Structure formats: structure tokens, C-alpha cells
Amino acid sequence: MTRTLRTLLLAGAALTTAHSALAQTAPPSEGTEVEEIIVSGRFIPDVIRDTAEVANFLSVEDVQRAGDDNAAQALTRITGISLVSGKFVYVRGLGERYSQALLNGSPLPSPEPLQRVIPLDLFPASILAGTVIQKTFSANYPGEFGGGVIDLQTVGTPDEAFLKVGVGLGGDTETTGKSGLTYYGSETDWLGFDDGTRKLPVGVRQFAASRPVVVGSATGGLTTDQYKAVARSFTNAPLNVLQRDKTPLNGNFDISGGQSFDTDYGRLGAIGVLSYRNGWQTRKGVRQTTVPDSGGLALATDATFEANQNDIAWSGLGGLAWESGDNEVRYTGLWIRSTSKRARITSNSAQSQGNANVNAYNSEWYERVLQLSQLSGKHLIGDWELAWRGTYGRTARQAPYERLYRYGLSATGVRTALLSGANQLVSFSDLDENIGSANVDLAYDLPVDFVRQAQLKVGAAWQRNSRTSVRRDFTYDQGRNWDPVRYAGQRIDYLVSDRNINDDIILLRELTGSSLTGDAAMYDAGLEVAAAYVQVDSEIRPLLRGSIGLRYETADQTVKTLDIFSPSAAPIFSRTVSKDYVLPAATLTWNFAEDQQLRFGLSKTIGRPQFRELAPQRYRDTETDRILSGNPYLEDTTFVNVDARYEHYFSKGQYFTFGAFYKNMEKPIEALAVLGSDGAFRQTFYNAPAADIYGGEVEFKKLFELETGTTWVDNRRWLVSLNYTYTTSQLKVSDGDTIILDITGVPTTPPARDYLTGGEKLQGQSDHLANLQLGFENDEAGSQATFLVTYTSERVSARSSSVDLPDLVQKPGMRVDFVYRRNFEIQGREFTGSFEARNLTGTDAEEYQAAGGKRFDTNSFDIGQSFSLGLSARF
């Protein structure tokens, strides 16, 4: 068969570029007709190889092998990635603020208070078709690219109809079957929905919707009757009384289905996924604080705590797709609802600062909801490829009846007083965030002669986030008829009962906006970004590929605090930061030998402060029991990024890579822990002057088929997968450098050397990250077993407020997991059974301060081992 040379050359160039085949003979001259062109080389279609950037890819098979339940857990298997608080991902030692999560290429809103980055534990593994983790910047991605970008890809429509159902049971050694703290709540708590018990009290809605709860105040307070109606409308015993109960097993249920069919107008497909999870976790641990001492450190406060948390999560995904010729349109709808019901008791002992013995009781309920709709399309218009996306998302977080009450205790443990003010709080908070985004990308193959193949990409993007957060705080004080002998020891629901309120034994007072809880009872925040980019990806010469791009972004980020009782009045505080950036990026890939290549990357990127870090609204972090408050004077961080990586591919999904990276950061954001007068840590944020971070990564993945003469060994395919990342960083401080702090509501500019000496590691950065997977697959038996070892070295969780005190350090340590899966048939139906054993090493959570040979645990607790069984069926 004879074809024209021009057609063959274009096809050959595309094949050579995509798969790095090595031609053995030079092509004929222009205009000559040939009958055959022979290209020799091995075709290894691997997505990690074909990309122009330094990237990692997490496939469905990877997630199934590890048995991970959500995106956050699954990503910890990737080189250079670590997990913090079970939901936030750190890339190359950079905090979650420097990594951006996308869904099918579109940005996501976050349901976390004062935080823009979304916790990845919200995304169940069942809705994911794969994940791209890109570590070198390319101009088609958003400019907020510090450590990298994580692009979650949802499942698409299937090639054939299916229905899959799965169930699971599990537990852990610290929680399941043991007596744990809880409280009644409402009848529907087990479903993750409140039945109305936790609504904002009717008295507040009727009498105090636009004014604080104050008795007989000349500034618009309530009458005595109105005040008592408000106080009596608060739900009491179901939410206040902590109880003990036997903790049940964890459970989950998943169902998914899809179908595709041909019509006269093209191919249509639909898919749906529904998931439910109900899990429990008990934590028992220690929380201590310190003060400087001649020997290094001395104990300031000493507390033990016990907490029990019930997490209920629902998620649903629906997808529709239409394909016809060179056109494809896809709709994805995502709904995620996560609820946490928490109860805990903290016992504080008197120590060197003269603090009294105190017991603190907490009951909490947090609802997080994410709703997202995305419409996208791909089209071939002449020689142009058009891709577009439009996304609207909304998140909401409600925390009704965050209940905290503290009792002072005598030396023998007898209650002596109900502590008032900020020690006795009932809080209601609501957060709503909306995000809209649009992207248009055009790609065109350039008809150029001096390179073998070149593609031009241009595009534009727009994104707008808007957030509103409202918080109201109330306290119970001792009234004029208070009798400490008679009432101090009463159970909390008796103490705040209607009778005691009517008799002026207990008084309800609103603290919203007061100095005890922070002035920002309500704030609005927003971010609007408009961007355009141009990028050229070209095979410069045989086996040498280059990509160069330029992205322009203009952004306005605003935060303003409002009077909650007069939201239409002028803001109490307002700050808008407007910035324009030109962000270049370039990568070079050289196939210097068969199945081997080198990559080099250079780029400039940015990192914007999160809403959590900007908004001056205080909230309690229930993971650490610390008060966090933002700093509205934070500035953007800028990065200069340099990357290099060697890659050797053995076969599809099997490779060895070795890379190095360097980042220069101007004005990195650090967390600062300040020890308050009550002996508790408070945390805020500031811009350090500068920092350098550099390191190396190595990754190896290989499947082996052995011949030992042993049938059990020889009939299996063996997996060895190892990755290791070394990272080091240094904060840089010079004489004359200052920082901006906003701890008391009044900005100050102390010398940076008051808080940093220079040379410290970046907050959140671990020197060593390692993952090892050892396992086997037996295709004939349909079985798969894997041991997974994860190691994360120590990292700074927060800076100390004084150079005389050491930083707070987390020690994640090593974890060993085991996952086994096996397929089998029953009456012609496909079933899969699974067994998972997690944290076999029994590694506990540790956070501490250490100096002078002394160590004090600031937040350490037991985790235990967990075990689960699962069964799924495909119809």
C-alpha cells in the first residue's frame, strides 16, 4: 500500500514523540513516495512517561491495592506526599496552604472554618477514577502552585452496564467494644442528620436576632421576661450531659451503577455512586504546656483528655455523558455530607504557674456539606481542539451547640465552682462558601518546519470564591442568688435548668464580639482571579521535547469583619490585596537512551494566604483544643522552582526515577503558637522573611515473576514498590527584618529575630518520607495481598512564641498496613472479599516540646490497630 510521505512523516513524528520510538534509518526526502517505513523500539504506553511535566499518577488499581477509603489516605502512597490531621496533604514538605486541589481540573470550595483548601478525606475512593499529582508548574494550571497541584478525576460513564454493591465492618483496638464518651443528641444522629434539636434557640431567633442577649441594657437589651425566654429556649440535657456507652463496630455501604447505549444522535452514558460510612474513634492522651527554665523547660500545665468521635459520611455522584464523532459533553454532579459528633473530657492539674485543678467538658456537632455541578466539553473544530469547563460549587459548615463548661475542683476532686466567661461557652457558627469557575483551552498543531512537532495551547480562566462566616457565643454566669455550697456540685443540666434561670441562680450572657472570644463575630472574605496563558509543547529535535509557557494572573483578595447585629453598617475592618503576576514555566525532556529520559523544569509561582489565615475570627481547633485566629496583614508567598528528574521505564507501570528539586520562597507563611495567661496555646500566622527548600526523590516500582520450583511462589506475580523523599529547608532571617503580627487586634511589627534565629525548618516539613509496598497478585485465583509501610519523620507543627522555647514538633513515625483482596464466584455472580489491618506497629500520635534533655507532650494520644472486612458484588 502506497501512501504519501507527508502523511507518514506526520504520523511517525507523533508516534516518536508520544512513545519515544527510535528510528533506525533516516526518512526519505520530501516528495518521495514510499511503500513502507519500519520503526523499531518498544512501545510502553505509560501516562507518567507521556506527560511533559514531573508528575505522579494514582490509578484505580493503586487505590484498590492499598484498600484506602478516601483520597487523602490514597495520596500518602505517592512520592513526596505526607498526610496531616488525617485530611490535609503536604507535598514535598510544604503545608496544605501551598497545594491546590482540583476536581476534574476545576477549583473546589472548602467547608473548613477560616480555610480555603479542601480536606481530601471528604472524597471517598469509590468516586475516583484516578488522580494527577503534578509537581512542576505548567502555565495551564492555576498560579497558586507551591508544592504542587492535585487533580482528582471522578469516574466516568462505563463502556457496558454494571451494578456493584459493597458492605464492610471494622473496628480498632482503642475504641470498638469499649466504654466511650457520648451524649444523646437527637434520634437521627446515627444518620448524620439532626432532627431539629440543635437549631438556634427559638428565643434567640425571636428576641435576639439583631441584638445581644443583655438584661435591661440601655443600649437595646432585652426585658427580664424576654431574657428569661431566651435563656430557657436553649436545649439542655440531650446536648449537655456526657455519658458512657459501649462503642459499636464501624460500618459502610456502597452502591454504584452505570450504563451506556447508542442512539441516532450519538452515544449516551450515565453513572451513579452512593456511599455511607459510620465510624468511631476514641483518643486518650496528654496535653502539656511549658515555660522557660534554667534547665531548659519547666511544666506549666498538665492535662489528660479522653475524646470519642463518631463520623458519619454520605456521598453521591451522578454523571451523564454524550459523545458524537469529535464532540463530547459531560455533566458531573457531586454531593458530600460529613458529620462529626464529638464528646470529650479534659482534666487539668495545678502546676508551677498556680493554675487550679479544672475539669473541662465538651460536646460538639459539625456538619460539612459540599455540592458541586460541573459541565464540560471537548470538540474538534477544524484543526483546533477546544476544551471547556464551567463549575459551580457550594460548601456549608454548621457547628450548633459547641458546648464547653469547666468546673474548678478541690484537691480531693470535689467541684468547687462553675467557671464563667470564656470558660463556659455555648457557641453557634455557620460558614457558607460559593465558588464559580470557568475555563477555556484551545490547542493547535503548528505547521512548522524547523521542529518535528509542536502544539500551541492558549486559554483563559476565571474563578470567584465568596465566603461568609458567622459565630455567636454565650456563657452562663453565677447569678445574684448563687450559693456555692448548694449549687457548685450540681450536674450541668440541673445547674442550667429553667428553675435556676428563673430564680437568678444562673444567668445567660452573650459574649458575641467581646474581647473574650474575638471581635470578628462575622466576616466576609472573597477571592477573584482572572487568568490567561499561552504554552508551546514541541519536539525541538528527535528525542528532545520542550514546553514553555507564560501565565498572567490578576487577583483581588478581600477580608472584612462586620457587626453581626448591623451587617449593613460599615465594616469594622476591611483589607483588599490586589496583585498582578506574570508566571513563566519551562520544562525540557531528553530521551537520551531507549526507555530512559531526563527532565528539567524551571518556573515561578505564588501562594496566597488562606481565609483561615487571614480572617481575624477565633475558633477552637478540636484536634488540639487550641484557639486559632487569623492575621489579616499576611502577604502572598512567591516561589522560584527548579526541578530535575531521571526516569527509566521497564514496562507499563514499572519504572525507576530519581529527582532533585529546589525552591526559593519569599515571605513564607508560618504558624505561631502563643502561650496564653490561662496556660493554653493560641495560634496565629505571620510571614517569615524568606526560606529555601531543596531535596531529592527516588521511586522504584517493579513486578517480578519468579522461578523457584515452588508452585505457590511461581504462580504469583510479585510487587516491589518503594519511594523515598529527602527534604531540607531553612528559614532565612537578616538583621532589620520585621514581621507583622495581629494577636490582640492591634498590628505590631516586631523584629523577626524575636521569633526566629534563622536556619529553622519550615513548619510542616519532614526530612524523610518513605513508602514501601510488598505484595503479590495471582490472576488465576483472583487474589492480591500487599504489605504497606509508611514512614514520616518529625516536623514542626507550630512555631513557639519565644526563641527561649522550642517549637512544637510532631512525630508521625512508621505505620505498617496489610491489605488482602480475593475474587470469587457464587452462582455465576462476581464477588470480592477484602481484609485490612492498619497500623500494625501500634504507632501513636505524638506532638511535643523538648529541650535540655526534657520532653513535654503538647498533644499526644494513642491510636491503636484497626481491622476491617469488606464484601462487594458485581451484577
Side-chain angles (χ1 to χ4, degrees):
M1 182 179 295
T2 301
R3 301 177 185 270
T4 65
L5 176 62
R6 188 174 188 86
T7 302
L8 285 167
L9 286 175
L10 288 173
L15 181 65
T16 304
T17 301
H19 308 302
S20 302
L22 299 177
Q24 303 302 306
T25 60
S29 59
E30 177 70 26
T32 305
E33 291 190 352
V34 297
E35 294 184 355
E36 183 179 26
I37 288 181
I38 299 175
V39 178
S40 68
R42 288 195 301 158
F43 171 50
I44 303 179
D46 203 315
V47 65
I48 190 175
R49 178 177 187 173
D50 288 343
T51 178
E53 310 298 333
V54 174
N56 291 93
F57 297 86
L58 190 69
S59 67
V60 174
E61 292 77 13
D62 295 329
V63 176
Q64 288 177 345
R65 176 184 295 279
D68 295 312
D69 291 331
N70 57 62
Q73 290 180 353
L75 286 168
T76 59
R77 316 299 177 190
I78 298 298
T79 310
I81 289 182
S82 56
L83 189 64
V84 178
S85 300
K87 54 188 177 183
F88 295 118
V89 170
Y90 283 22
V91 181
R92 288 178 166 176
L94 293 170
E96 83 279 357
R97 70 174 69 85
Y98 298 126
S99 302
Q100 183 164 187
L102 309 176
L103 187 74
N104 298 326
S106 295
L108 290 163
S110 174
E112 290 296 304
L114 306 176
Q115 196 159 344
R116 194 168 71 247
V117 65
I118 191 165
L120 294 181
D121 65 325
L122 283 178
F123 295 90
S126 58
I127 71 169
L128 297 178
T131 303
V132 179
I133 305 95
Q134 187 168 307
K135 298 176 182 177
T136 56
F137 175 61
S138 56
N140 59 309
Y141 272 124
E144 282 194 78
F145 196 107
V149 66
I150 299 166
D151 194 354
L152 306 173
Q153 304 291 323
T154 57
V155 292
T157 55
D159 294 329
E160 58 183 25
F162 79 96
L163 177 65
K164 186 176 181 180
V165 179
V167 295
L169 291 173
D172 71 72
T173 56
E174 293 291 326
T175 307
T176 309
K178 296 186 177 182
S179 176
L181 292 172
T182 187
Y183 63 96
Y184 176 73
S186 71
E187 293 183 355
T188 55
D189 281 7
W190 66 279
L191 289 171
F193 293 85
D194 177 66
D195 65 1
T197 300
R198 296 178 176 86
K199 278 187 176 180
L200 188 69
V202 63
V204 176
R205 299 197 302 269
Q206 289 181 347
F207 301 114
S210 59
R211 51 186 168 176
V213 176
V214 181
V215 182
S217 169
T219 59
L222 308 178
T223 66
T224 300
D225 290 341
Q226 289 175 333
Y227 153 76
K228 290 185 176 180
V230 171
R232 292 194 301 266
S233 68
F234 279 64
T235 302
N236 188 2
L239 304 181
N240 287 337
V241 179
L242 300 190
Q243 308 170 58
R244 288 193 175 275
D245 199 0
K246 188 175 181 180
T247 306
L249 288 168
N250 303 331
N252 65 275
F253 172 78
D254 300 272
I255 183 170
S256 59
Q259 187 173 16
S260 295
F261 49 90
D262 294 314
T263 71
D264 294 337
Y265 304 98
R267 185 170 180 82
L268 297 177
I271 192 168
V273 179
L274 179 66
S275 173
Y276 168 75
R277 276 165 172 70
N278 192 328
W280 298 79
Q281 184 179 56
T282 295
R283 293 177 173 178
K284 297 179 180 179
V286 177
R287 287 175 179 156
Q288 299 172 320
T289 62
T290 64
V291 292
D293 184 69
S294 57
L297 289 177
L299 189 64
T301 61
D302 190 12
T304 59
F305 70 92
E306 179 183 350
N308 198 15
Q309 178 171 318
N310 183 203
D311 292 313
I312 308 104
W314 291 88
S315 62
L317 179 141
L320 296 172
W322 168 78
E323 297 179 14
S324 178
D326 296 323
N327 300 288
E328 176 185 345
V329 177
R330 178 180 175 184
Y331 169 79
T332 302
L334 178 65
W335 172 77
I336 298 174
R337 179 187 176 90
S338 174
T339 303
S340 294
K341 180 180 180 180
R342 303 174 181 176
R344 72 180 184 276
I345 297 176
T346 305
S347 300
N348 294 275
S349 301
Q351 294 296 335
S352 60
Q353 288 188 326
N355 298 291
N357 293 320
V358 174
N359 271 5
Y361 303 82
N362 295 81
S363 59
E364 298 146 337
W365 175 270
Y366 301 100
E367 298 176 9
R368 301 181 296 175
V369 178
L370 166 64
Q371 298 170 313
L372 185 137
S373 293
Q374 183 184 71
L375 190 65
S376 62
K378 295 180 180 180
H379 313 275
L380 185 62
I381 305 174
D383 294 331
W384 290 88
E385 296 178 15
L386 169 66
W388 55 271
R389 293 185 306 276
T391 305
Y392 172 75
R394 176 183 177 271
T395 57
R397 178 187 184 272
Q398 294 185 333
Y401 281 99
E402 284 184 272
R403 194 72 168 90
L404 163 66
Y405 55 94
R406 289 189 176 99
Y407 282 98
L409 304 175
S410 68
T412 58
V414 177
R415 295 173 179 169
T416 58
L418 176 72
L419 304 181
S420 60
N423 295 301
Q424 171 66 229
L425 289 176
V426 185
S427 301
F428 301 82
S429 60
D430 290 279
L431 180 150
D432 285 279
E433 180 173 342
N434 295 274
I435 184 171
S437 67
N439 298 71
V440 177
D441 301 280
L442 285 166
Y444 177 69
D445 289 333
L446 293 170
V448 292
D449 296 327
F450 60 91
V451 295
R452 301 187 65 178
Q453 184 183 21
Q455 185 182 66
L456 170 69
K457 292 185 71 174
V458 296
W462 171 84
Q463 170 189 341
R464 183 177 182 180
N465 295 62
S466 59
R467 169 178 287 195
T468 298
S469 179
V470 177
R471 182 182 182 92
R472 297 190 72 168
D473 296 286
F474 302 84
T475 186
Y476 289 98
D477 287 341
Q478 300 166 8
R480 59 187 177 86
N481 292 328
W482 172 263
D483 181 352
V485 175
R486 181 176 179 181
Y487 299 111
Q490 283 191 352
R491 205 174 73 182
I492 186 64
D493 56 327
Y494 296 160
L495 194 60
V496 299
S497 64
D498 292 354
R499 176 177 178 177
N500 285 350
I501 290 171
N502 286 339
D503 293 342
D504 290 335
I505 296 164
I506 287 291
L507 298 176
L508 179 73
R509 178 165 58 95
E510 185 160 9
L511 297 179
T512 300
S514 74
S515 60
L516 290 175
T517 59
D519 294 329
M522 178 179 181
Y523 79 88
D524 285 345
L527 172 67
E528 185 167 7
V529 181
Y533 77 90
V534 59
Q535 180 175 307
V536 176
D537 188 357
S538 169
E539 188 180 16
I540 302 170
R541 55 177 299 176
L543 308 181
L544 185 64
R545 177 182 181 181
S547 176
I548 186 169
L550 195 67
R551 186 178 185 90
Y552 170 76
E553 284 195 359
T554 179
D556 295 315
Q557 187 162 4
T558 302
V559 59
K560 57 183 178 180
T561 59
L562 306 171
D563 183 348
I564 190 173
F565 302 111
S566 301
S568 59
I572 300 171
F573 171 87
S574 179
R575 183 170 184 250
T576 299
V577 178
S578 298
K579 291 278 189 177
D580 295 338
Y581 288 102
V582 176
L583 305 173
T587 58
L588 191 67
T589 304
W590 177 30
N591 279 113
F592 65 93
E594 187 175 1
D595 303 326
Q596 299 180 62
Q597 59 190 24
L598 287 172
R599 297 184 192 271
F600 303 92
L602 178 65
S603 63
K604 179 182 178 181
T605 56
I606 58 172
R608 297 184 179 95
Q610 300 176 17
F611 295 143
R612 167 181 66 133
E613 297 161 344
L614 282 172
Q617 184 185 68
R618 301 185 188 183
Y619 78 100
R620 185 176 297 276
D621 181 358
T622 57
E623 298 290 335
T624 61
D625 216 23
R626 295 172 192 152
I627 301 297
L628 274 68
S629 180
N631 179 355
Y633 300 98
L634 293 178
E635 299 182 50
D636 293 352
T637 304
T638 58
F639 296 80
V640 174
N641 312 284
V642 181
D643 287 88
R645 188 164 78 171
Y646 162 78
E647 301 168 357
H648 185 188
Y649 295 91
F650 314 125
S651 182
K652 183 180 180 181
Q654 303 179 53
Y655 44 80
F656 169 79
T657 70
F658 174 77
F661 59 89
Y662 166 78
K663 296 176 183 292
N664 173 258
M665 304 170 63
E666 295 294 330
K667 299 184 178 179
I669 297 172
E670 293 283 289
L672 176 69
V674 180
L675 186 63
S677 58
D678 59 353
F681 282 117
R682 285 166 170 76
Q683 192 165 307
T684 187
F685 308 90
Y686 67 95
N687 287 105
D692 288 331
I693 181 170
Y694 54 91
E697 298 175 333
V698 62
E699 186 171 13
F700 174 80
K701 185 177 181 181
K702 181 69 175 175
L703 290 168
F704 299 91
E705 293 183 357
L706 304 177
E707 296 182 3
T708 64
T710 304
T711 302
W712 190 90
V713 175
D714 296 349
N715 287 346
R716 286 160 174 78
R717 186 166 57 249
W718 297 86
L719 167 73
V720 177
S721 178
L722 169 69
N723 63 68
Y724 167 75
T725 302
Y726 170 76
T727 309
T728 187
S729 62
Q730 286 187 335
L731 286 167
K732 299 191 294 185
V733 183
S734 302
D735 292 336
D737 286 339
T738 60
I739 62 174
I740 300 179
L741 288 176
D742 184 30
I743 298 175
T744 62
V746 179
T748 59
T749 56
R753 289 199 181 276
D754 287 356
Y755 298 88
L756 301 167
T757 59
E760 295 95 337
K761 292 196 302 185
L762 280 167
Q763 180 239 331
Q765 180 251 308
S766 296
D767 288 349
H768 307 283
L769 301 173
N771 289 284
L772 173 65
Q773 295 185 35
L774 299 173
F776 68 78
E777 300 173 350
N778 187 331
D779 294 336
E780 183 177 344
S783 62
Q784 188 180 79
T786 312
F787 280 96
L788 305 107
V789 183
T790 301
Y791 173 75
T792 304
S793 67
E794 296 176 338
R795 59 190 172 215
V796 174
S797 57
R799 296 282 170 219
S800 174
S801 58
S802 170
V803 293
D804 296 326
L805 286 172
D807 295 329
L808 280 62
V809 175
Q810 287 180 338
K811 185 181 179 182
M814 184 175 71
R815 289 173 57 107
V816 177
D817 301 336
F818 174 73
V819 179
Y820 179 78
R821 299 171 64 246
R822 186 179 180 91
N823 300 326
F824 56 93
E825 286 190 7
I826 299 179
Q827 296 183 348
R829 298 293 185 189
E830 297 180 16
F831 288 83
T832 300
S834 64
F835 168 74
E836 299 177 18
R838 303 286 182 180
N839 195 28
L840 294 175
T841 53
T843 302
D844 296 326
E846 298 180 51
E847 185 192 65
Y848 60 86
Q849 287 179 299
K854 297 180 181 179
R855 166 177 158 162
F856 298 95
D857 289 284
T858 53
N859 187 40
S860 300
F861 51 88
D862 299 332
I863 296 179
Q865 297 88 11
S866 63
F867 304 90
S868 63
L869 294 171
L871 178 66
S872 64
R874 190 179 179 93
F875 301 92

